[in-house]
Amino acid sequence: MKLWVEIHLILLETPLSPSTMNNQTLVTEFILQGFSEHPEYHVLLFSSFLSLYSVALIGNILIILTITFNSGLHIPMYFFLFNLATMDIICTSSIMPKALEGLMSKDSSISYGGCMAQLYFLLWSVSSELLLLTVMAYDRYAAICHPLHYTTTMSKSFCCKLALGVWALCAFNAAIHMGLMLRLNFCGPNVITHFFCEAPPLLLLSCTSTYVNSIMIVLADAFYGILNFLMTIVSYGFIISSILKMRTAEGKKKAFSTCSSHLIVVCMYYTAVFYAYISPVSSYSAKKSKLAGVLYTMLSPTLNPLIYTLRNKEVKAALRKLFTFSRN
């Protein structure tokens, strides 16, 4: 996702010499620049972000509760949706509290440890979402292209292994990147040109070599961003081909309805990510990165439960049952 940015960092990297570094004080906290250049919009931004955060939390919690307490939704498609909703909550909750605090107070600082923790949970949740979207695309491929073998292919044990593999692999990936970040020294300046701790602006602040960090991020972005996107596209290529071969219009409509919500989420998420990061270095900017950050860390987790709910009769029926049960 940040492929061109990280290659640019590798080519232009100019770490300070040890003698220069020793004459400077190591950074113990960072300043999140956020939207400080537009103080007149802080109240509006705070209201908007708080609304998005509230809707994201409530929507994804409702999705989790609905799937948990409705046995009719205990199938692979909703099992992976449960995992996606969980990661949405982790993603927004790792970003929004500090962003909201920065909008309403003059103190926009974040401790070194807090910044590293935020970076870890953000990397973990975003990479997990990308993998989960690919897994969900494969699930729809198996259901539509190979319906007779679907129950065997997407067995309960296999789905659990897939979900556990996603969580573990992405947690390990985030730990590697955070570990590589911890080995760097930050001597000042300490202003991060974003409203959360993200790898590219952090690397630009380091006064020691970031070569290994940059290489690892390029490899991770190639896998999580580009490879997963291509696998999702291939899956939907087979899905669309199978739908078009169906003889009845009713069959086509039913098959498309089972994957349309996921396809909308995939398009929305990847559009935001690619808008920010798959572009020439000359066009990369902090403003562009902030806008994309809002799209994939706040807007996407907010819209995901709405999209899956409004376009899915089974989920809407299960939600009505959940509310009826809670009243009784």
Side-chain angles (χ1 to χ4, degrees):
M1 296 173 294
K2 308 176 188 69
L3 187 60
W4 293 109
V5 177
E6 303 311 328
I7 291 175
H8 181 60
L9 288 172
I10 294 171
L11 295 175
L12 299 184
E13 183 187 30
T14 54
L16 297 177
S17 65
S19 60
T20 303
M21 185 184 68
N22 291 335
N23 291 330
Q24 301 194 37
T25 305
L26 294 180
V27 169
T28 58
E29 67 175 17
F30 295 98
I31 305 298
L32 294 173
Q33 185 186 61
F35 303 92
S36 57
E37 66 271 26
H38 300 293
E40 67 276 13
Y41 297 128
H42 278 196
V43 175
L44 176 61
L45 288 171
F46 178 84
S47 302
S48 300
F49 288 178
L50 181 60
S51 299
L52 288 172
Y53 185 42
S54 300
V55 173
L57 280 182
I58 294 171
N60 284 292
I61 289 172
L62 282 176
I63 289 289
I64 290 171
L65 292 176
T66 302
I67 294 172
T68 301
F69 293 109
N70 192 297
S71 58
L73 300 182
H74 292 178
I75 59 176
M77 180 171 67
Y78 297 112
F79 172 71
F80 294 125
L81 178 57
F82 175 97
N83 283 268
L84 185 67
T86 304
M87 278 302 169
D88 276 340
I89 292 174
I90 293 174
C91 181
T92 54
S93 296
S94 66
I95 297 298
M96 285 312 301
K98 196 64 185 177
L100 291 171
E101 180 186 343
L103 286 170
M104 290 306 293
S105 67
K106 294 181 180 179
D107 182 17
S108 58
S109 63
I110 183 171
S111 66
Y112 177 85
C115 186
M116 294 300 111
Q118 191 179 77
L119 178 68
Y120 176 83
F121 285 107
L122 179 67
L123 288 172
W124 183 31
S125 58
V126 171
S127 58
S128 294
E129 288 193 41
L130 290 170
L131 274 187
L132 282 170
L133 290 175
T134 303
V135 170
M136 292 170 78
Y138 175 75
D139 171 68
R140 293 299 83 207
Y141 160 78
I144 294 173
C145 299
H146 303 285
L148 299 178
H149 303 285
Y150 178 69
T151 304
T152 305
T153 303
M154 300 302 292
S155 63
K156 185 177 180 180
S157 61
F158 180 65
C159 290
C160 289
K161 289 176 183 177
L162 277 177
L164 182 61
V166 168
W167 284 64
L169 177 62
C170 296
F172 181 65
N173 170 67
I176 290 176
H177 289 289
M178 190 185 72
L180 291 173
M181 195 68 71
L182 288 172
R183 60 181 271 279
L184 301 178
N185 289 321
F186 298 90
C187 312
N190 65 338
V191 178
I192 298 175
T193 57
H194 217 304
F195 62 94
F196 57 83
C197 290
E198 193 181 35
L202 274 172
L203 293 182
L204 292 172
L205 296 179
S206 175
C207 55
T208 50
S209 175
T210 61
Y211 183 80
V212 177
N213 300 69
S214 300
I215 289 293
M216 290 303 296
I217 291 177
V218 168
L219 295 176
D221 288 346
F223 172 72
Y224 287 103
I226 298 173
L227 183 60
N228 274 278
F229 177 72
L230 291 176
M231 288 192 293
T232 302
I233 291 298
V234 169
S235 296
Y236 271 100
F238 284 113
I239 289 171
I240 293 171
S241 177
S242 295
I243 292 175
L244 293 177
K245 291 178 182 177
M246 293 180 179
R247 295 180 180 179
T248 63
E250 184 64 26
K252 292 179 180 180
K253 183 179 178 180
K254 184 177 179 180
F256 184 73
S257 67
T258 64
C259 61
S260 59
S261 298
H262 178 252
L263 186 58
I264 292 171
V265 171
V266 167
C267 293
M268 179 178 64
Y269 198 84
Y270 275 104
T271 297
V273 171
F274 286 172
Y275 167 77
Y277 302 116
I278 305 300
S279 59
V281 174
S282 58
S283 65
Y284 177 81
S285 68
K287 290 182 180 180
K288 188 177 178 181
S289 184
K290 288 177 191 178
L291 175 59
V294 171
L295 293 176
Y296 72 81
T297 65
M298 285 188 280
L299 191 61
S300 182
T302 302
L303 293 179
N304 284 354
L306 295 177
I307 292 171
Y308 281 110
T309 301
L310 296 177
R311 298 184 60 85
N312 194 302
K313 294 180 180 179
E314 291 177 317
V315 176
K316 285 192 286 187
L319 276 171
R320 283 193 289 269
K321 288 182 181 179
L322 180 66
F323 283 119
T324 302
F325 177 78
S326 63
R327 288 172 186 171
N328 296 333

